[in-house]
Amino acid sequence: MKVIGLTGGTGSGKSVVSKSLAEAGAVIVDADQIAHEIILKGEPAYQEIIEYYGTGILDEDGNIIRKKLGEIVFNDGEKLAFLNRCTHKYICAEVDRQIAAAKAAGTATAIVLDAPLLLEAGLEQVCDGVWVVYADPEVRAQRVMARDGVTYELAKARIANQKSWEEYKQAADTVIDNSKDLAYLQGQLSELLKTI
């Protein structure tokens, strides 16, 4: 069973692609969801994050406020690098566990590792192929603003803090263009699914 690494910059529309692949019978290993879970109170990365960033990122119940943490790291490359170092080891271990479980079950058409930081975490090494979702930078900024309720400036800063399109393209075995409508996207995915 093939493992496809699915990645692309914020706002490129990976989640739409991922949902379509799940509907076609793929098992989705969602690295973003894993990243959310490992910073919960009592989970592995929680204490390391508090020790580095301080208690100012916590709500009254002691939970990490992801939006507050995001505002810190997306404007500071050094602080973002620490967060990535801290969380990637835990994310990678859980990704490995979920891929092994999906392979053992053997019921899926493919395993799709949906990971915004696929390349940064070195997770492409566990994949048989890398699919990169592309969208025009302005389209991405508008999507980030709508999805996260942030300003245009913050949306652009988040995009600027990620890999450039050239870096994504170099790593891609396949590029999926998600700048147009859903029908155009579905047409591409139908063809790609025939190859796995």
Side-chain angles (χ1 to χ4, degrees), residues 47-66:
Q47 199 57 44
E48 287 181 48
I49 290 170
I50 303 312
E51 284 169 13
Y52 184 84
Y53 299 101
T55 55
I57 60 167
L58 301 178
D59 66 16
E60 62 276 5
D61 297 320
N63 299 306
I64 292 171
I65 303 168
R66 293 185 65 252

Side-chain angles (χ1 to χ4, degrees), residues 41-96:
K41 200 195 289 192
E43 292 301 317
Y46 177 87
Q47 199 57 44
E48 287 181 48
I49 290 170
I50 303 312
E51 284 169 13
Y52 184 84
Y53 299 101
T55 55
I57 60 167
L58 301 178
D59 66 16
E60 62 276 5
D61 297 320
N63 299 306
I64 292 171
I65 303 168
R66 293 185 65 252
K67 192 171 184 179
K68 202 173 263 191
L69 181 59
E71 285 167 4
I72 293 168
V73 302
F74 285 117
N75 291 308
D76 187 320
E78 192 178 308
K79 289 177 178 168
L80 177 61
F82 173 82
L83 184 63
N84 288 339
R85 278 195 313 276
C86 170
T87 57
H88 285 177
K89 57 185 177 284
Y90 300 117
I91 293 168
C92 291
E94 180 59 16
V95 162
D96 288 344

Side-chain angles (χ1 to χ4, degrees), residues 124-143:
E124 75 277 9
Q125 294 167 20
V126 301
C127 301
D128 299 304
V130 173
W131 294 2
V132 174
V133 184
Y134 169 81
D136 177 81
E138 283 304 309
V139 171
R140 290 172 58 195
Q142 295 302 321
R143 288 176 181 166

Side-chain angles (χ1 to χ4, degrees), residues 3-7 27-31 34 95 99 111-116 118 123-124 126-127:
V3 178
I4 303 298
L6 180 68
T7 194
V27 166
I28 307 299
V29 176
D30 187 338
I34 293 168
V95 162
I99 287 174
I111 300 165
V112 175
L113 173 52
D114 180 345
L118 184 85
L123 285 167
E124 75 277 9
V126 301
C127 301

